[in-house]
Amino acid sequence: LLETVRELKALNVDVFFEEQNIHSISGEGEMIITLLASMAQEESRSVSENMKWRIKKDFEQGIIWGGNSCYGYKLENKQLILISEEEDTIRLIFQLYIEGKGADAIGKILDSKGIKPKYSAKWNRSTIMTILSNYNYTGDLILQKTYRENHLSKRKIINSGELDRYAVRNNHQPIISKELFDEVQRIREKKSERIKSPSKKKHYPFQGMIRCGICGRAYTHKTTPHNEIWKCALSVTKGKEACNSKQVPHNIIVEASKQILSMDQYNEACFNSKVSMIIVMSNRVLQFHMKDGTRREYQWTSSKSDCWTPVMREQAKQRALKQHQGGIHHG
């Protein structure tokens, strides 16, 4: 408050406080404002401390403070009430995860069944992972998982042991068993450890430089049994129904870059110095956005396999399998 008032005063701007009838630009104005602001700040601190004491007493008695309804329950009068129409979905999510399905795959399955999440149109990874980590589904509660930093910033902080946490047993009707919840947490932790493993992540040329012209998402690198390709991240996680973009063979992007930049051999340093982004358009056009503000386009021709139907692909797969088996038998 004082910093703002002083900055305005330096610009010869007066702030008039109607309730106190004070002009900040007057001689005694800042002194009175300082006194009143100090009193207001102390009052805020006192109210905050009283509120903390009240919340702590509620926690000690196992009473929920604040919070929102979550999928499967509605919060009424500080009690979690089971929503019978949603409990089967919670069980399905946990069961699919136990069976090895990832969060994105689970979201696709729920969307395909016409099951809607509580706060959005479609399921996403974050919503699924929040459900899988929610201890409330066991019928127990853990209170004071977060707290406010102080009465001024009001920033919410995860409680990592700075304050007491309170466990409430058999608080409400459970949806899943504690054993199932613990098993899911074990699988999550195991997956997390694999992701955090010290193995160095491979760097691919064009990484972070290719975007989808349909949905705007980044393209991600994939290695198939036959070649390297780049594919829209949304198409990878949600399928063609979400984004019907084209996958692009890695060698096509290399060849396009060589032609656009007049290079005999692809040079990553040269590419990065001249190109800011590649947009994959729906008509098999690679649109190069250059750092000088210009745009250049490269059209690539489709390979025969791009036109195959799922039936044709399966037939080709079976033929290749028979040939492989025949080769092993002959050897």
Side-chain angles (χ1 to χ4, degrees):
L1 171 67
L2 294 177
E3 286 175 359
T4 304
V5 166
R6 286 167 183 166
E7 187 174 348
L8 291 170
K9 188 175 182 180
L11 298 170
N12 203 32
V13 174
D14 180 34
V15 180
F16 178 61
F17 296 84
E18 290 184 344
E19 188 178 338
Q20 293 81 14
N21 193 28
I22 302 169
H23 287 273
S24 64
I25 209 164
S26 67
E28 72 283 357
E30 183 171 317
M31 181 186 71
I32 299 172
I33 290 168
T34 301
L35 178 63
L36 292 174
S38 298
M39 292 170 61
Q41 181 171 313
E42 181 58 25
E43 183 183 0
S44 173
R45 188 199 63 78
S46 178
V47 169
S48 175
E49 291 301 319
N50 290 338
M51 187 65 72
K52 283 180 182 178
W53 180 86
R54 182 181 172 188
I55 292 171
K56 184 174 183 293
K57 290 300 177 185
D58 276 0
F59 283 160
E60 288 173 352
Q61 296 174 42
I63 300 172
I64 297 173
W65 184 273
N68 299 310
S69 300
C70 60
Y71 197 92
Y73 295 105
K74 59 181 176 181
L75 186 62
E76 287 186 356
N77 300 320
K78 299 187 178 183
Q79 283 293 318
L80 290 174
I81 311 299
L82 182 68
I83 302 174
S84 57
E85 301 82 21
E86 297 177 355
E87 62 176 312
D88 286 342
T89 303
I90 297 297
R91 291 195 187 99
L92 177 61
I93 290 171
F94 274 83
Q95 189 57 45
L96 289 172
Y97 194 78
I98 286 285
E99 291 172 1
K101 299 286 193 300
D104 291 321
I106 294 172
K108 286 177 66 175
I109 290 170
L110 297 178
D111 287 337
S112 69
K113 289 178 177 291
I115 300 171
K116 300 291 184 185
K118 191 180 286 286
Y119 299 113
S120 57
K122 287 186 176 292
W123 293 89
N124 57 56
R125 179 180 180 81
S126 175
T127 303
I128 299 293
M129 296 310 292
T130 298
I131 287 174
L132 290 170
S133 61
N134 193 341
Y135 189 66
N136 293 353
Y137 295 124
T138 65
D140 291 353
L141 279 180
I142 295 177
L143 302 176
Q144 196 154 257
K145 290 181 283 190
T146 62
Y147 65 95
R148 298 291 177 180
E149 184 178 40
N150 54 55
H151 67 288
L152 297 176
S153 71
K154 295 181 171 62
R155 187 165 66 94
K156 184 186 285 188
I157 297 176
I158 300 294
N159 183 7
S160 301
E162 294 85 357
L163 300 175
D164 290 336
R165 295 208 293 178
Y166 303 87
V168 186
R169 305 298 180 196
N170 304 315
N171 177 79
H172 52 276
Q173 190 172 343
I175 295 178
I176 61 166
S177 68
K178 294 181 181 66
E179 292 75 20
L180 178 58
F181 181 83
D182 290 341
E183 178 64 13
V184 164
Q185 304 321 303
R186 186 189 65 77
I187 295 171
R188 288 183 60 219
E189 190 174 342
K190 197 172 180 180
K191 286 185 176 181
S192 178
E193 286 173 359
R194 282 205 305 267
I195 293 170
K196 293 176 181 176
S197 63
S199 57
K200 191 174 181 181
K201 197 173 181 181
K202 189 174 179 181
H203 169 75
Y204 296 101
F206 313 115
Q207 204 158 15
M209 303 282 284
I210 308 172
R211 302 202 78 82
C212 179
I214 296 176
C215 70
R217 299 289 183 89
Y219 262 57
T220 182
H221 181 275
K222 295 287 178 184
T223 303
T224 73
H226 308 291
N227 62 353
E228 294 180 67
I229 61 169
W230 290 86
K231 198 170 182 180
C232 170
L234 182 61
S235 180
V236 170
T237 56
K238 298 289 186 180
K240 286 286 186 182
E241 315 84 54
C243 181
N244 192 28
S245 53
K246 301 289 183 186
Q247 65 181 36
V248 189
H250 178 78
N251 65 305
I252 291 292
I253 300 179
V254 172
E255 187 57 37
S257 300
K258 284 162 60 177
Q259 285 202 28
I260 292 292
L261 300 176
S262 302
M263 296 186 291
D264 294 330
Q265 296 292 327
Y266 174 75
N267 183 292
E268 188 172 3
C270 177
F271 175 88
N272 291 337
S273 69
K274 295 183 178 181
V275 180
S276 60
M277 189 188 308
I278 300 175
I279 306 292
V280 181
M281 310 302 286
S282 58
N283 54 351
R284 298 187 184 279
V285 168
L286 297 179
Q287 190 179 84
F288 284 72
H289 289 233
M290 313 303 289
K291 289 190 174 179
D292 62 6
T294 61
R295 295 182 184 180
R296 303 177 193 176
E297 294 187 347
Y298 176 92
Q299 176 120 35
W300 87 89
T301 55
S302 63
S303 63
K304 184 180 177 182
S305 62
D306 287 336
C307 305
W308 287 358
T309 64
V311 175
M312 293 166 67
R313 290 180 189 276
E314 182 59 30
Q315 289 172 346
K317 180 180 175 183
Q318 294 301 326
R319 283 197 301 271
L321 186 60
K322 285 180 182 178
Q323 289 172 3
H324 178 66
Q325 289 173 343
I328 293 174
H329 178 73
H330 180 71

